[in-house]
């Protein structure tokens, strides 16, 4: 088991050259390897992996965000539980792992932002929801979700998509970044309505001429590669423009 | 070694067959909208124009690799069904005529001459609740939805051809 953990650590280190690495205990015998880019007590980004795992492109974006004054934690939730990166593995990651990462982050940082893409959005919201329970949680400033997939299951042809219940139960400032060349682009009104059911406030940025997974897809075209290079700036802008949650009931 | 290779080949073929995409039957119902859209040349089309024919409605886009991949097989299906009351309407998702024409040139020598409709506003995509590309529906000669399929397919393979032919209205007696 230790050899496997060491292997994951080596893989992580090679993928995140330039970042410091640390390990955060989220449960007995469960330590999340975290690559730390930059240093700031003011603003921390907790980047959670999607179903595609922790990607080298995400370390690059994290390093760019660090240059903008953020501390960025790229957390390998899969490695912590010795799971391969896949949609089904993502479902096996307890929300408590993310909640504990948020708790650890909140002990040292003033403002925390969650970032994830695809189905990783569900882990971000589930972790936020769990961590918020019974807290005033001012530290959690919001979440930036890249082409989020919050569907309960693959929609059937001609049927309205069903969303995960947590999409309508989380109270959070949310920024969605969605490429226009995606069937999901046409579902944005429904997604916003779902998220707002739980008291979230949602700002949407659409990227013309861009497909989902643009910053890491193998067949990315020049326009998508350019959007990938500008993604750190887009995330930074989205964080600055996160809608505020009106005063009301605590989550 | 040969029996092992044959076994592996058999297993692979069986797995492929198990994963082949098949048209999913739908409880017959009227379509979500009339599909009133212009084609590449600006000519207006509506499902009502095709009453008495089986209609394959395909939602696609030039940027979607499985959509591009299935287009030649859709053309072969059209050619196979020549002379029968069958028509293909491929609804392009919110792109320009220039983008679609450029794609049609790219895939030459495979000629695509079935009808391509332009849904520039995305209105039809919303009405038909398309959330995966490509998505295809088969409408029978009475104008009722009968099958759907999410993702790309080889349209001239047995399953699709057999199901579509079964929906064709009987030929008028001489």
């Amino acid at each position: 088991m230790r050899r496997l953990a060491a292997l994951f650590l080596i893989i992580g280190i090679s993928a995140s050259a330039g970042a410091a690495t640390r390990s955060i205990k989220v449960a007995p015998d469960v330590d999340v390897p975290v690559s730390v880019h930059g240093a700031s007590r003011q603003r921390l980004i907790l980047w959670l992996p999607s179903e595609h795992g922790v990607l080298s492109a995400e370390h690059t974006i994290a390093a760019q965000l660090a240059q903008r004054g953020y501390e960025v934690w790229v957390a390998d939730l899969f490695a912590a539980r010795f799971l391969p990166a896949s949609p089904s593995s993502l479902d096996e990651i307890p929300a408590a792992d993310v909640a504990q990462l948020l708790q650890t982050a909140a002990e040292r940082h003033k403002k925390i932002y969650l970032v994830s893409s695809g189905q990783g959005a569900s882990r971000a919201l589930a972790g936020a929801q769990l961590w918020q329970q019974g807290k005033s949680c001012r530290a959690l400033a919001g979440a930036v979700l890249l082409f989020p997939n919050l569907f309960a299951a693959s929609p059937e042809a001609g049927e309205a998509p069903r969303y995960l219940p947590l999409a309508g139960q989380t109270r959070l400032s949310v920024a969605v970044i969605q490429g226009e060349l995606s069937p999901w682009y046409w579902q944005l009104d429904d997604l916003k309505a779902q998220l707002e059911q739980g008291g979230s406030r949602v700002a949407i940025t659409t990227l013309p001429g861009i497909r989902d997974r643009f910053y890491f897809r193998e067949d990315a075209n020049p326009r998508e590669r350019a959007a990938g290079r500008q993604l750190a700036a887009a995330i930074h802008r989205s964080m600055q423009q996160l809608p505020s949650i009106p005063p009301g009931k605590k989550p | 070694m040969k029996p092992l290779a044959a076994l592996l080949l058999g297993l692979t073929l069986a797995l492929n067959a198990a994963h082949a995409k098949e048209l999913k039957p739908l409880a017959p119902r009227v379509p979500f909208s009339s599909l009133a859209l212009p084609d590449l040349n600006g000519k207006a089309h509506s499902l009502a124009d095709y009453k008495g024919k089986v209609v394959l409605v395909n939602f696609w886009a030039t940027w979607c690799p499985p959509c591009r991949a299935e287009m030649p097989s859709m053309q072969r299906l059209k050619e196979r069904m020549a002379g029968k009351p069958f028509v293909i309407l491929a609804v392009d998702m919110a792109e320009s005529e220039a983008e679609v024409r450029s794609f049609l040139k790219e895939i030459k020598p495979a000629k695509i001459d079935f009808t391509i409709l332009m849904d520039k506003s995305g209105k039809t995509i919303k009405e038909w609740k398309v959330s995966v590309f490509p998505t295809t529906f088969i409408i029978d000669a009475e104008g009722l939805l009968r099958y759907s399929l999410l993702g790309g397919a080889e349209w001239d393979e047995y399953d699709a051809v057999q199901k579509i032919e079964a929906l064709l209205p009987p030929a008028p007696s001489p």
Side-chain angles (χ1 to χ4, degrees):
Chain A
M1 202 70 162
R2 278 186 182 170
R3 281 183 188 169
L4 195 56
L7 179 65
F8 275 119
L9 190 62
I10 289 163
I11 291 167
I13 287 169
S14 62
S16 58
T21 54
R22 64 178 290 195
S23 173
I24 296 175
K25 186 170 282 298
V26 294
D29 300 324
V30 181
D31 298 282
V32 178
V34 174
S35 301
V36 181
H37 296 261
S40 166
R41 290 213 169 186
Q42 295 300 311
R43 302 183 299 176
L44 174 83
I45 294 170
L46 176 55
W47 191 304
L48 303 177
S50 72
E51 65 273 28
H52 301 284
V54 176
L55 304 166
S56 60
E58 292 169 349
H59 284 292
T60 305
I61 297 162
Q64 291 165 351
L65 286 163
Q67 286 173 358
R68 290 176 176 268
Y70 295 92
E71 181 169 324
V72 187
W73 291 3
V74 181
D76 195 340
L77 299 172
F78 294 106
R81 291 186 177 271
F82 305 106
L83 293 167
S86 73
S88 58
S89 296
L90 203 55
D91 290 340
E92 289 180 42
I93 294 169
D97 289 9
V98 178
Q100 186 55 48
L101 287 174
L102 286 169
Q103 180 59 36
T104 305
E107 286 162 11
R108 287 173 60 89
H109 297 84
K110 206 170 171 182
K111 269 189 177 179
I112 305 164
Y113 303 88
L114 283 161
V115 174
S116 195
S117 67
Q119 290 184 31
S122 73
R123 293 303 83 199
L125 294 189
Q129 188 190 22
L130 182 62
W131 187 61
Q132 285 175 327
Q133 282 172 6
K135 291 191 188 73
S136 65
C137 348
R138 289 192 177 174
L140 185 53
V144 178
L145 306 179
L146 313 171
F147 42 92
N149 178 351
L150 293 168
F151 298 128
S154 292
E156 293 292 338
E159 289 180 11
R162 287 182 301 109
Y163 290 89
L164 293 166
L166 64 88
Q169 295 166 351
T170 312
R171 186 174 160 84
L172 197 61
S173 293
V174 177
V176 171
I177 297 179
Q178 174 67 58
E180 288 188 3
L181 300 187
S182 164
W184 298 350
Y185 169 74
W186 304 100
Q187 316 283 341
L188 283 174
D189 289 345
D190 287 345
L191 174 66
K192 188 169 188 276
Q194 280 291 319
L195 289 166
E196 289 183 346
Q197 266 182 20
S200 289
R201 288 293 174 267
V202 183
I204 293 173
T205 302
T206 58
L207 305 177
I210 300 296
R211 295 175 292 177
D212 294 332
R213 301 180 283 111
F214 59 94
Y215 68 90
F216 62 90
R217 57 187 307 152
E218 284 180 9
D219 64 346
N221 58 38
R223 191 170 188 172
E224 288 163 343
R225 284 196 289 275
R229 287 192 295 273
Q230 293 157 11
L231 184 53
I235 291 171
H236 172 64
R237 272 196 305 278
S238 292
M239 285 171 179
Q240 288 180 317
Q241 294 163 7
L242 276 167
S244 57
I245 300 279
K249 67 180 173 81
K250 297 282 182 208
Chain B
M1 199 64 179
K2 276 185 182 172
L4 181 63
L7 178 66
L8 286 173
L9 180 64
L11 276 172
T12 307
L13 290 174
L15 282 170
N16 284 343
H19 286 102
K21 293 207 169 150
E22 292 190 352
L23 284 163
K24 183 181 167 189
L26 298 173
R29 52 156 293 181
V30 292
F32 307 96
S33 75
S34 63
L35 210 67
L37 292 167
D39 65 20
L40 268 176
N41 299 314
K43 183 187 168 196
H45 293 252
S46 166
L47 280 179
D49 303 337
Y50 300 101
K51 198 81 184 278
K53 293 183 177 180
V54 174
V55 185
L56 183 154
V57 177
N58 172 258
F59 289 89
W60 73 291
T62 63
W63 47 261
C64 153
C67 304
R68 298 169 70 102
E70 71 175 356
M71 282 277 175
S73 73
M74 228 179 273
Q75 177 68 24
R76 290 196 297 273
L77 174 66
K78 186 203 164 187
E79 286 160 10
R80 184 172 175 151
M81 304 291 276
K84 295 177 182 171
F86 171 75
V87 67
I88 294 174
L89 301 176
V91 182
D92 175 78
M93 186 180 82
E95 295 183 281
S96 67
E97 282 90 353
E99 285 168 310
V100 173
R101 286 188 200 283
S102 166
F103 163 71
L104 294 178
K105 274 185 195 161
E106 268 175 45
I107 58 167
K108 277 181 179 172
K111 177 189 71 173
I112 301 292
D113 64 1
F114 49 77
T115 304
I116 293 175
L117 303 180
M118 305 300 291
D119 182 16
K120 285 192 180 170
S121 69
K123 179 173 173 277
T124 307
I125 291 154
K126 281 185 171 177
E127 287 170 345
W128 286 60
K129 299 182 174 65
V130 175
S131 50
V132 173
F133 263 49
T135 292
T136 304
F137 296 91
I138 307 290
I139 298 169
D140 69 16
E142 299 299 315
L144 299 175
L145 287 169
R146 297 297 298 273
Y147 291 100
S148 68
L149 195 146
L150 292 179
E154 284 297 315
W155 286 100
D156 56 341
E157 284 185 353
Y158 176 76
D159 175 70
V161 173
Q162 180 250 333
K163 284 173 178 164
I164 289 168
E165 282 185 334
L167 293 178
L168 294 173
S173 45

